[in-house]
Amino acid sequence: MVELKQSWDIFCKIVDNFGDIGVCWRLAKQLHHEHGLSVRLFVDDLSDATKILTGVSNAAEQTYEGVTVVRWGGATSFSHAADVVLETFACGLPDAYLKQMTTKTVWVNVDYLSAESWVQEFHALNGLHRETGFTRHFYFPGFIEQTGGLLREQDLMTRRSNFQQANAPQQLNFWNSLQINHRVDDLNISLFSYENAPVNAFLQSLVDGDRQASVFMPFNQHLPTPLLDQHDLAVGDAIQTGNLTLHILPFLSQEDYDVLLWACDINFVRGEDSWVRAVWSGKPFVWQPYWQEDNAHLLKLNAFLDNFYDHPDIDHTLTKLHELWSTQVFHHDVWQDYLSKLDAISAHTQQQSNHLIQQDDLVTKLVEFCVS
Ligand code: TRH
């Protein structure tokens, strides 16, 4: 008989940005809400965590949306270890926790997402932890069946389809909630990028473009300054210049950010979690990987492009635009080329997204992995 692992602990170290806590929170929520498991989420920086878990306080322990959120610091004591412990992004487990573990505890490190070919070889391997002798399993998310899959809530696609139906009232409600007079005929673009992306050159290209464009930038710590020659942009500002209207949005909840991706024609995303959400939006997107030494991020980028856009009509265009975006230069003609192929890119992205939906989601796979 298969023994269900009821209690799960997740350890999250926030290195920078929003991705660490963004991914850990999705794991925690799905394990609890969709699989009925009892979940504790240990976070090393609760004030940083509030960017995503907006309602948490700095309390040592609190229940948030059914998950027990625990402040994790040097002095944290652990009364027991869970049936399964997830170490995320190789953040390490505290010694005091390791002391509570037994040989029955399932210890899994959930790693970063990549489309590189080595991922399928390393996924599901394990090794002995030198100090304790416990087995540590390595779990790699990925885009193919032989990997750990992609995070996706069970109702996500239904919610997206409902929203994207022609004239769905949710569309107007969404834009109204942001106090935006949405123009359907504009080229609507969401923009979430790192500070080294050539954002100003891109926006200038839209200012000079032939088509009216609306750009929606959720405010985060990397808002480039100046932006379109403006120094003190704030949430709620809208700048109209040439053929561009730039809207500075508040940093949205994860749920509302999804809706923004569903509502736009093109999404610029980055890192890990917004990248996956862009895939699920089914809309064309441009991904900027998190910068890594020795241009390792460009290898990651090319592996993804080769895998996702293996299509002779569009692969060159997409590679060119992504490479520019990640190497801090921008060429108007490359953008024009991209726009001229937008219908084909759109159809292909939708098809790839639909294909990936056929695979089990990461949390479903992870739960199976831990009971087998
Ligand atoms: O913030 P990021 O750059 O996070 C990165 C990556 O995860 C990277 O791999 C990691 O090494 C580094 O952090 C430390 O990008 P990412 O992964 O897209 O995470 C952003 C999260 O923020 C994601 O959960 C979506 C969410 N988000 C909102 O909730 N509201 C918003 O308005 C926006 C723009 C994002």
Side-chain angles (χ1 to χ4, degrees):
M1 202 180 82
V2 177
E3 197 189 335
L4 191 61
K5 311 284 183 197
Q6 279 297 349
S7 64
W8 290 56
D9 284 343
I10 304 172
F11 281 82
C12 175
K13 213 173 243 177
I14 302 183
V15 178
D16 60 3
N17 301 330
F18 314 93
D20 309 293
I21 187 66
V23 167
C24 288
W25 182 235
R26 286 194 199 283
L27 282 171
K29 267 198 308 192
Q30 267 188 269
L31 285 166
H32 177 66
H33 295 166
E34 298 182 3
H35 296 268
L37 301 165
S38 157
V39 182
R40 293 189 299 181
L41 173 62
F42 294 86
V43 186
D44 71 335
D45 188 334
L46 281 176
S47 75
D48 248 9
T50 56
K51 291 170 188 162
I52 299 286
L53 284 69
T54 43
V56 294
S57 70
N58 201 32
E61 187 168 322
Q62 59 203 293
T63 304
Y64 190 71
E65 297 188 22
V67 172
T68 305
V69 178
V70 186
R71 197 176 64 217
W72 167 29
T76 310
S77 61
F78 302 93
S79 57
H80 64 283
D83 297 330
V84 179
V85 56
L86 302 181
E87 171 193 351
T88 55
F89 310 124
C91 68
L93 294 183
D95 289 342
Y97 189 89
L98 288 167
K99 286 199 179 112
Q100 298 294 332
M101 284 170 50
T102 69
T103 48
K104 282 189 153 186
T105 313
V106 180
W107 176 4
V108 184
N109 176 55
V110 179
D111 222 303
Y112 289 108
L113 169 64
S114 174
E116 289 162 291
S117 55
W118 57 263
V119 167
Q120 57 178 306
E121 288 160 39
F122 281 73
H123 172 60
L125 293 184
N126 62 56
L128 282 188
H129 183 243
R130 204 173 321 140
E131 287 79 20
T132 58
F134 290 132
T135 302
R136 184 168 172 243
H137 301 269
F138 302 103
Y139 194 94
F140 284 90
F143 293 85
I144 55 174
E145 288 285 1
Q146 300 83 340
T147 67
L150 299 169
L151 278 167
R152 188 184 72 241
E153 296 78 14
Q154 283 168 10
D155 65 349
L156 184 72
M157 289 305 123
T158 311
R159 287 191 285 116
R160 185 198 81 182
S161 307
N162 290 342
F163 180 90
Q164 287 180 341
Q165 266 170 21
N167 303 320
Q170 297 97 305
Q171 296 173 9
L172 190 60
N173 292 344
F174 174 67
W175 293 113
N176 284 345
S177 73
L178 295 173
Q179 295 173 332
I180 284 175
N181 182 14
H182 177 237
R183 295 197 300 249
V184 175
D185 294 331
D186 277 17
L187 184 64
N188 286 287
I189 300 172
S190 79
L191 186 47
F192 181 45
S193 60
Y194 293 114
E195 55 196 324
N196 60 357
V199 168
N200 271 303
F202 170 55
L203 294 179
Q204 192 55 50
S205 190
L206 296 173
V207 170
D208 302 332
D210 325 321
R211 185 169 166 191
Q212 290 279 348
S214 287
V215 171
F216 303 95
M217 261 181 114
F219 187 87
N220 68 86
Q221 79 268 40
H222 293 310
L223 211 56
T225 311
L227 201 53
L228 287 175
D229 296 328
Q230 311 265 336
H231 281 266
D232 295 315
L233 287 176
V235 169
D237 285 349
I239 305 162
Q240 158 86 64
T241 164
N243 270 342
L244 169 68
T245 309
L246 172 67
H247 297 270
I248 308 296
L249 301 186
F251 192 78
L252 304 172
S253 66
Q254 280 187 324
E255 290 74 17
D256 278 350
Y257 181 59
D258 271 338
V259 179
L260 179 69
L261 300 178
W262 303 342
C264 284
D265 302 305
I266 302 170
N267 296 307
F268 283 71
V269 291
R270 72 183 207 191
E272 172 145 346
D273 193 51
S274 57
W275 175 28
V276 176
R277 307 317 282 186
V279 170
W280 299 139
S281 78
K283 296 295 189 72
F285 63 90
V286 179
W287 172 54
Q288 184 181 21
Y290 184 76
W291 184 89
Q292 286 173 284
E293 270 176 29
D294 300 327
N295 283 336
H297 60 295
L298 295 183
L299 292 179
K300 219 172 150 175
L301 174 65
N302 284 318
F304 172 68
L305 295 174
D306 289 350
N307 175 299
F308 199 83
Y309 293 116
D310 181 17
H311 190 293
D313 296 343
I314 56 172
D315 57 357
H316 177 73
T317 302
L318 282 155
T319 303
K320 199 77 211 136
L321 182 62
H322 277 84
E323 280 177 359
L324 290 181
W325 193 245
S326 275
T327 51
Q328 306 170 42
V329 276
F330 193 80
H331 291 308
H332 182 72
D333 49 344
V334 174
W335 176 243
Q336 290 306 319
D337 179 40
Y338 177 88
L339 289 182
S340 72
K341 296 189 175 135
L342 195 55
D343 286 347
I345 293 169
S346 189
H348 185 74
T349 309
Q350 182 78 62
Q351 188 190 320
Q352 289 291 72
S353 178
N354 289 343
H355 166 72
L356 287 168
I357 292 165
Q358 307 309 313
Q359 298 179 14
D360 279 344
D361 68 277
L362 187 150
V363 170
T364 300
K365 283 183 136 183
L366 182 62
V367 170
E368 275 169 24
F369 178 79
C370 290
V371 294
S372 60

